[in-house]
């Protein structure tokens, strides 16, 4: 990557995304709701429509046998099944840790559901200490996600499930 391009990416990565309104709306909408699918559908919708730079927002659910299956999402169609052994979502489920991919073209284990995706973030979701699924957000921009996204979205998921 050219030095100027790298510098621009670093600067962009330092700028915080303003989640405040969206996170407040999500908290109000999911309050008192116990159905996970209803909450996933609401969160996917709110995040997708709040940020133009998110071109795919969705959930993969842990269905046991080290397998993730597609849950509620917004955007083009996503792969239906992802084994824990594969892709960025699989790595998140396997390691139970947030995955930030700055450039998906540089990751051999990335599963390309859309040819336009350039970067992504995948976060684990826990309920009573068990992994119930992951939240995957994809962007057509390189280096769209950083540690602040990870922290804000992790807190939102903790409050929601
Ligand atoms: N990119 C993900 C697959 C899910 S889709 O992008 C919607 C991965 O590598 O696990």
């Amino acid at each position: 990557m050219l030095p100027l391009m790298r510098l621009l990416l670093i600067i962009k990565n330092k700028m915080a995304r303003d989640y405040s309104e969206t996170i407040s709306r999500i908290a109000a909408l999911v309050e008192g709701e116990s159905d996970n699918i209803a909450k996933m559908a609401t969160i996917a919708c709110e995040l997708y429509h709040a940020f133009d730079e998110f071109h795919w927002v969705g959930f993969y659910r842990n269905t046991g046998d080290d397998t993730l299956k597609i849950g509620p999402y917004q955007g083009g169609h996503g792969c239906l099944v992802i084994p824990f052994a594969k892709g960025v979502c699989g790595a998140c489920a396997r390691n139970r840790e947030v995955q930030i991919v700055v450039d998906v073209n540089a990751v051999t284990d990335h599963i390309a559901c859309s040819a336009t995706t350039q970067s992504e973030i995948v976060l684990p979701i826990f309920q009573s200490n068990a992994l119930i699924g992951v939240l995957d957000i994809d962007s057509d921009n390189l280096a769209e996600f950083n540690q602040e996204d990870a922290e804000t979205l992790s807190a939102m998921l903790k409050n929601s499930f």
Side-chain angles (χ1 to χ4, degrees):
M1 196 182 295
L2 293 170
L4 180 60
M5 180 74 151
R6 186 170 284 281
L7 181 64
L8 288 173
L9 286 178
I10 290 168
I11 292 168
K12 196 175 100 179
N13 242 341
K14 297 235 170 286
M15 288 164 51
R17 200 184 317 282
D18 186 2
Y19 282 101
S20 50
E21 271 186 34
T22 310
I23 299 274
S24 304
R25 205 163 44 244
I26 289 172
L29 287 166
V30 304
E31 196 187 348
E33 179 54 66
S34 59
D35 185 284
N36 285 343
I37 300 291
K39 289 191 277 194
M40 288 175 182
T42 303
I43 293 166
C45 174
E46 288 298 324
L47 289 174
Y48 180 81
H49 289 286
F51 302 104
D52 287 344
E53 60 273 29
F54 295 176
H55 84 100
W56 197 92
V57 180
F59 290 85
Y60 280 92
R61 298 165 298 117
N62 181 5
T63 53
D65 298 332
D66 289 346
T67 302
L68 294 167
K69 279 205 178 164
I70 193 77
Y73 66 94
Q74 302 259 328
H77 80 256
C79 318
L80 273 68
V81 183
I82 299 180
F84 277 22
K86 285 199 178 152
V88 184
C89 291
C92 177
R94 215 165 51 236
N95 304 322
R96 280 141 166 84
E97 276 173 8
V98 178
Q99 309 288 308
I100 296 175
V101 180
V102 169
D103 179 0
V104 299
N105 307 294
V107 175
T108 44
D109 197 25
H110 166 254
I111 301 167
C113 292
S114 160
T116 60
T117 300
Q118 298 299 318
S119 61
E120 74 177 304
I121 185 168
V122 186
L123 305 106
I125 309 163
F126 303 98
Q127 213 161 41
S128 309
N129 291 324
L131 180 91
I132 61 161
V134 304
L135 167 63
D136 179 10
I137 306 179
D138 297 347
S139 177
D140 286 350
N141 305 331
L142 276 170
E144 191 55 59
F145 306 100
N146 58 31
Q147 201 51 41
E148 275 193 56
D149 293 291
E151 283 163 22
T152 308
L153 292 167
S154 294
M156 179 276 291
L157 291 169
K158 209 171 165 193
N159 287 336
S160 303
F161 291 95

